[in-house]
Amino acid sequence: MTIRVLLADDQALLRSAFRILVDSEADMEVVGEAADGARAVELARAERPDVVLMDIRMPGTDGLAATRAITADPGLSGVRIVMLTTFEVDEYVVQSLRAGASGFLGKGAEPEELLGAIRIAHAGEALLSPAATKGLIATFLAQGPRDDGAGAAGEDARRARSERLAALTAREREVLVLVAGGLSNDEIGRRLDVSPLTVKTHVNRTMAKLGARDRAQLVVTAYESGLVRPRVE
């Protein structure tokens, strides 16, 4: 099956380079290009791509706002977004993941890394390298837990997260903690002495119970809920 890719970046030269790279792969094709976030949302609705390579910083509607619009659209639930950033970890990364992005990749990544990122996101995996995961954790620690606001709305949001976590089995909680640590299914399987397929089943059930789009969202939930409290080095 061909992976349909949408490119969103305000630099035409960079989009051209990405197009040549993606179209050179037998299992991928570029289905559209956007120079700003508003156009990216329009094309996502029109083309229904499998993966969007989304630049964080664009004029007008930026990549963060576009990601929120795409992930909030029920008709685009199958679209995965990989954020592109000049630095592997910057001020918008956590916001991007909270908005529903599957992960992020530095623009200086090697071609093989970019192609691998597309395939990983398409498979529903979290695109969080060990270095990126470390930076993500550090950012969460610096920001503290998400502020859901005061009053009934904020309390309802906090209660909803608590109830979803309470619905997890002990093994699902254990798997969630390991996913938040950046471990793959194979690594979790070895840690728990179960098969990768069994781990995948636990991960899928956990995502369903927590309303997470993919593994990246599981990482966000694990830290925001306080289930995982990383050690400060």
Side-chain angles (χ1 to χ4, degrees):
M1 182 173 63
T2 301
I3 303 174
R4 306 175 76 252
V5 181
L6 172 63
L7 307 175
D9 195 294
D10 63 327
Q11 299 181 50
L13 186 60
L14 195 56
R15 291 200 311 274
S16 296
F18 286 161
R19 174 181 280 275
I20 292 172
L21 180 62
V22 171
D23 283 342
S24 70
E25 296 296 295
D27 62 337
M28 297 182 191
E29 67 171 331
V30 173
V31 296
E33 295 184 26
D36 60 64
R39 181 58 176 160
V41 175
E42 291 177 3
L43 286 175
R45 289 172 175 156
E47 299 294 340
R48 295 295 197 275
D50 297 307
V51 178
V52 179
L53 292 181
M54 182 83 75
D55 186 19
I56 288 182
R57 296 181 178 88
M58 290 185 287
T61 302
D62 64 14
L64 181 58
T67 296
R68 285 174 176 152
I70 291 172
T71 59
D73 188 333
L76 301 179
S77 60
V79 177
R80 298 290 178 258
I81 300 175
V82 175
M83 305 302 295
L84 299 175
T85 176
T86 305
F87 304 101
E88 188 169 17
V89 176
D90 66 23
E91 63 199 82
Y92 296 118
V93 166
V94 172
Q95 296 179 59
S96 299
L97 294 176
R98 283 173 172 163
S102 296
F104 54 94
L105 191 69
K107 287 188 176 182
E110 295 294 325
E112 294 77 12
E113 291 181 275
L114 180 65
L115 296 173
I118 292 172
R119 294 187 176 98
I120 289 171
H122 180 245
E125 299 291 333
L127 183 61
L128 297 170
S129 67
T133 301
K134 183 177 181 180
L136 173 65
I137 292 171
T139 306
F140 265 108
L141 285 172
Q143 291 189 354
R146 178 171 63 185
D147 182 6
D148 291 306
E155 184 58 34
D156 287 345
R158 286 186 286 271
R159 185 182 301 110
R161 281 206 301 273
S162 178
E163 288 175 354
R164 287 197 296 270
L165 280 179
L168 300 181
T169 65
R171 178 45 62 92
E172 288 166 351
R173 280 175 172 258
E174 191 174 13
V175 168
L176 176 56
V177 169
L178 295 175
V179 167
L183 275 66
S184 67
N185 285 356
D186 287 345
E187 291 169 331
I188 294 173
R190 289 193 292 271
R191 181 76 63 88
L192 301 180
D193 196 25
V194 297
S195 71
L197 182 60
T198 297
V199 174
K200 183 177 181 180
T201 298
H202 287 309
V203 170
N204 289 339
R205 288 176 178 170
T206 301
M207 286 194 294
K209 290 180 179 180
L210 297 179
R213 288 169 60 91
D214 53 29
R215 292 172 78 103
Q217 301 309 300
L218 290 183
V219 175
V220 172
T221 298
Y223 287 106
E224 288 190 332
S225 66
L227 178 63
V228 175
R229 298 182 181 279
R231 181 178 59 197
V232 180
E233 296 181 357

